[in-house]
Coordinates of all heavy atoms in Angstrom, one line a residue:
G89 N 68.6 13.8 59.9 CA 69.5 12.7 60.2 C 70.5 13.0 61.3 O 70.7 12.1 62.2
P90 N 71.1 14.2 61.4 CA 72.1 14.4 62.5 C 71.4 14.3 63.9 O 72.1 13.8 64.8 CB 72.6 15.9 62.2 CG 72.4 16.0 60.7 CD 71.2 15.3 60.3
A91 N 70.2 14.6 64.0 CA 69.5 14.5 65.3 C 69.4 13.1 65.7 O 69.6 12.7 66.9 CB 68.1 15.1 65.2
Y92 N 69.3 12.1 64.7 CA 69.2 10.7 65.1 C 70.6 10.3 65.6 O 70.7 9.5 66.6 CB 68.8 9.8 63.9 CG 67.7 10.3 63.0 CD1 67.7 10.1 61.7 CD2 66.6 11.0 63.6 CE1 66.6 10.5 60.9 CE2 65.6 11.5 62.8 CZ 65.6 11.2 61.4 OH 64.6 11.7 60.6
V93 N 71.6 10.7 64.9 CA 73.0 10.4 65.4 C 73.3 10.9 66.8 O 73.8 10.2 67.6 CB 74.0 10.8 64.4 CG1 75.4 10.5 64.9 CG2 73.8 10.2 63.0
F94 N 72.8 12.2 67.0 CA 73.1 12.7 68.3 C 72.3 12.0 69.4 O 72.7 11.9 70.6 CB 72.7 14.3 68.3 CG 73.5 15.0 67.3 CD1 72.9 16.1 66.7 CD2 74.8 14.7 67.0 CE1 73.6 16.9 65.7 CE2 75.5 15.5 66.0 CZ 74.9 16.5 65.4
Y95 N 71.1 11.6 69.0 CA 70.3 10.8 70.0 C 70.9 9.5 70.3 O 70.9 9.1 71.5 CB 68.9 10.6 69.3 CG 67.9 9.9 70.2 CD1 67.1 10.6 71.1 CD2 67.7 8.5 70.1 CE1 66.1 10.0 71.9 CE2 66.7 7.9 70.9 CZ 65.9 8.6 71.7 OH 65.0 8.0 72.5
L96 N 71.5 8.9 69.3 CA 72.3 7.6 69.5 C 73.5 7.9 70.5 O 73.7 7.1 71.4 CB 72.8 7.0 68.2 CG 73.7 5.8 68.3 CD1 73.0 4.7 69.0 CD2 74.2 5.4 66.9
A97 N 74.2 9.0 70.2 CA 75.3 9.4 71.1 C 74.9 9.6 72.5 O 75.5 9.1 73.4 CB 76.0 10.6 70.5
E98 N 73.8 10.3 72.7 CA 73.3 10.5 74.0 C 73.0 9.2 74.7 O 73.4 9.0 75.9 CB 71.9 11.3 74.0 CG 72.0 12.8 73.7 CD 70.7 13.3 73.7 OE1 70.0 13.4 72.7 OE2 70.2 13.8 74.8
S99 N 72.3 8.3 74.0 CA 72.0 7.0 74.6 C 73.2 6.2 74.9 O 73.2 5.6 76.0 CB 71.0 6.2 73.6 OG 69.9 7.0 73.3
M100 N 74.2 6.1 74.1 CA 75.4 5.4 74.4 C 76.1 6.0 75.5 O 76.7 5.2 76.4 CB 76.2 5.3 73.1 CG 75.7 4.5 72.0 SD 76.6 4.4 70.5 CE 78.1 3.5 71.1
I101 N 76.2 7.3 75.6 CA 76.9 7.9 76.7 C 76.2 7.6 78.1 O 76.9 7.2 79.1 CB 77.0 9.5 76.5 CG1 78.0 9.8 75.4 CG2 77.5 10.1 77.8 CD1 77.9 11.2 74.9
E102 N 74.9 7.7 78.1 CA 74.2 7.4 79.3 C 74.4 6.0 79.7 O 74.5 5.6 80.9 CB 72.7 7.8 79.1 CG 72.4 9.2 79.0 CD 72.9 10.0 80.2 OE1 72.8 9.5 81.3 OE2 73.4 11.1 79.9
A103 N 74.4 5.1 78.7 CA 74.6 3.6 79.0 C 76.0 3.4 79.6 O 76.2 2.7 80.5 CB 74.4 2.8 77.7
G104 N 77.0 4.1 79.0 CA 78.3 4.0 79.6 C 78.4 4.5 81.0 O 79.1 3.8 81.8
V105 N 77.7 5.6 81.3 CA 77.7 6.0 82.7 C 77.1 5.0 83.6 O 77.5 4.7 84.7 CB 77.0 7.4 82.8 CG1 76.8 7.8 84.3 CG2 77.8 8.4 82.1
H106 N 76.0 4.4 83.1 CA 75.2 3.4 83.9 C 76.2 2.2 84.1 O 76.0 1.5 85.2 CB 74.0 3.0 83.1 CG 73.3 1.9 83.8 ND1 72.4 2.1 84.9 CD2 73.1 0.6 83.5 CE1 71.9 0.9 85.2 NE2 72.3 0.0 84.4
L107 N 77.1 1.9 83.2 CA 77.9 0.8 83.4 C 79.2 1.1 84.2 O 80.0 0.2 84.4 CB 78.4 0.2 81.9 CG 77.3 -0.3 81.1 CD1 77.8 -0.6 79.7 CD2 76.7 -1.6 81.7
G108 N 79.3 2.3 84.7 CA 80.4 2.6 85.6 C 81.4 3.5 85.1 O 82.4 3.9 85.8
L109 N 81.3 4.0 83.8 CA 82.4 4.9 83.3 C 82.0 6.3 83.8 O 80.8 6.7 84.0 CB 82.3 4.9 81.8 CG 82.7 3.6 81.1 CD1 82.4 3.7 79.6 CD2 84.1 3.2 81.4
T110 N 83.1 7.2 83.9 CA 82.8 8.6 84.2 C 82.1 9.2 82.9 O 82.3 8.6 81.8 CB 84.1 9.4 84.4 OG1 84.9 9.4 83.2 CG2 84.9 8.7 85.6
R111 N 81.4 10.3 83.0 CA 80.7 10.9 81.9 C 81.8 11.3 80.8 O 81.6 11.2 79.6 CB 79.8 12.0 82.3 CG 79.0 12.6 81.2 CD 77.9 13.5 81.7 NE 77.0 12.8 82.6 CZ 75.9 12.1 82.1 NH1 75.7 12.1 80.8 NH2 75.1 11.4 82.9
A112 N 82.9 11.9 81.3 CA 83.9 12.4 80.4 C 84.5 11.3 79.6 O 84.7 11.3 78.4 CB 85.0 13.1 81.2
T113 N 84.8 10.1 80.2 CA 85.3 9.0 79.5 C 84.3 8.4 78.5 O 84.6 8.1 77.4 CB 85.8 7.9 80.6 OG1 86.8 8.4 81.3 CG2 86.3 6.6 79.8
A114 N 83.0 8.3 79.0 CA 82.0 7.7 78.2 C 81.8 8.6 76.9 O 81.7 8.1 75.8 CB 80.7 7.6 78.9
T115 N 81.8 9.9 77.1 CA 81.7 10.9 76.0 C 82.8 10.7 75.0 O 82.6 10.7 73.8 CB 81.6 12.3 76.5 OG1 80.5 12.4 77.4 CG2 81.5 13.3 75.4
E116 N 84.1 10.7 75.5 CA 85.2 10.5 74.6 C 85.1 9.2 73.8 O 85.3 9.2 72.6 CB 86.5 10.6 75.4 CG 87.7 10.5 74.5 CD 89.0 10.5 75.3 OE1 89.0 10.4 76.6 OE2 90.1 10.6 74.7
L117 N 84.8 8.1 74.5 CA 84.7 6.8 73.8 C 83.6 6.8 72.7 O 83.8 6.3 71.6 CB 84.4 5.7 74.8 CG 85.5 5.4 75.8 CD1 84.9 4.4 76.9 CD2 86.7 4.8 75.1
V118 N 82.5 7.4 73.1 CA 81.3 7.4 72.1 C 81.6 8.3 70.9 O 81.4 7.9 69.8 CB 80.0 7.8 72.8 CG1 78.9 8.0 71.8 CG2 79.6 6.7 73.8
V119 N 82.0 9.5 71.2 CA 82.2 10.5 70.1 C 83.2 10.0 69.1 O 83.1 10.0 67.9 CB 82.6 11.9 70.7 CG1 83.1 12.8 69.5 CG2 81.5 12.5 71.4
Q120 N 84.4 9.4 69.6 CA 85.4 9.0 68.7 C 85.0 7.7 68.0 O 85.3 7.5 66.8 CB 86.7 8.8 69.4 CG 87.9 8.3 68.5 CD 88.1 9.2 67.3 OE1 87.9 10.5 67.4 NE2 88.5 8.7 66.1
T121 N 84.2 6.9 68.6 CA 83.7 5.6 68.0 C 82.7 6.0 66.8 O 82.8 5.4 65.7 CB 83.0 4.8 69.0 OG1 83.9 4.3 70.0 CG2 82.4 3.5 68.4
L122 N 81.9 7.0 67.1 CA 81.0 7.4 66.0 C 81.7 8.0 64.9 O 81.4 7.7 63.7 CB 79.9 8.3 66.5 CG 78.8 7.7 67.5 CD1 77.9 8.8 68.1 CD2 78.0 6.7 66.8
A123 N 82.7 8.9 65.2 CA 83.4 9.6 64.1 C 84.3 8.6 63.3 O 84.3 8.6 62.1 CB 84.3 10.7 64.8

């Protein structure tokens, strides 16, 4: 199961970057949202 969650996190971060966010900002948003 953790791998599925990490896969989701990867996908959301990449989508955030595609939408114009910096990678650092996208990562912070996604990690805290999941947690």
Side-chain angles (χ1 to χ4, degrees):
Y92 316 147
V93 177
F94 301 147
Y95 185 83
L96 173 62
E98 285 182 272
S99 301
M100 291 178 66
I101 290 168
E102 291 303 321
V105 172
H106 177 75
L107 294 173
L109 298 172
T110 66
R111 185 167 298 276
T113 297
T115 299
E116 182 179 10
L117 292 171
V118 170
V119 170
Q120 183 55 34
T121 297
L122 290 176

